[in-house]
Amino acid sequence: MAFALRNISDTIRDVALADGQNVSYAAKYPNYALFGTRLEDMYGGNVERLHNVRAAMDPEDVMSLAGGWKF
């Protein structure tokens, strides 16, 4: 199922690019991103800053116990 969803997402992106829409650097919406999606694909150049915020606000890494995306 995840493979099919990834293919659909890639196909939609390819069609949009072929249609002239500039979505080559469009971020993926984190709530809909499938597991294994790179943080850079969701947050762009903000990954390092977000990692630093997480380290400052949660130095004991408690939030990672809840799952989700890791910075």
Side-chain angles (χ1 to χ4, degrees):
M1 183 57 112
F3 179 76
L5 290 173
R6 247 185 249 288
N7 281 343
I8 290 169
S9 175
D10 291 344
T11 299
I12 291 170
R13 180 180 169 277
D14 292 344
V15 168
L17 287 170
D19 191 41
Q21 298 180 44
N22 185 13
V23 296
S24 58
Y25 295 102
K28 294 187 177 185
Y29 184 56
N31 285 355
Y32 297 147
L34 295 172
F35 60 90
T37 301
R38 297 173 344 125
L39 291 173
E40 291 79 10
D41 291 343
M42 295 182 285
Y43 300 106
N46 296 313
V47 173
E48 183 177 352
R49 183 177 63 86
L50 291 168
H51 175 75
N52 293 334
V53 168
R54 187 212 45 87
M57 302 307 291
D58 185 19
E60 295 182 26
D61 202 20
V62 173
M63 288 303 292
S64 69
L65 299 174
W69 304 103
K70 310 291 188 227
F71 286 100

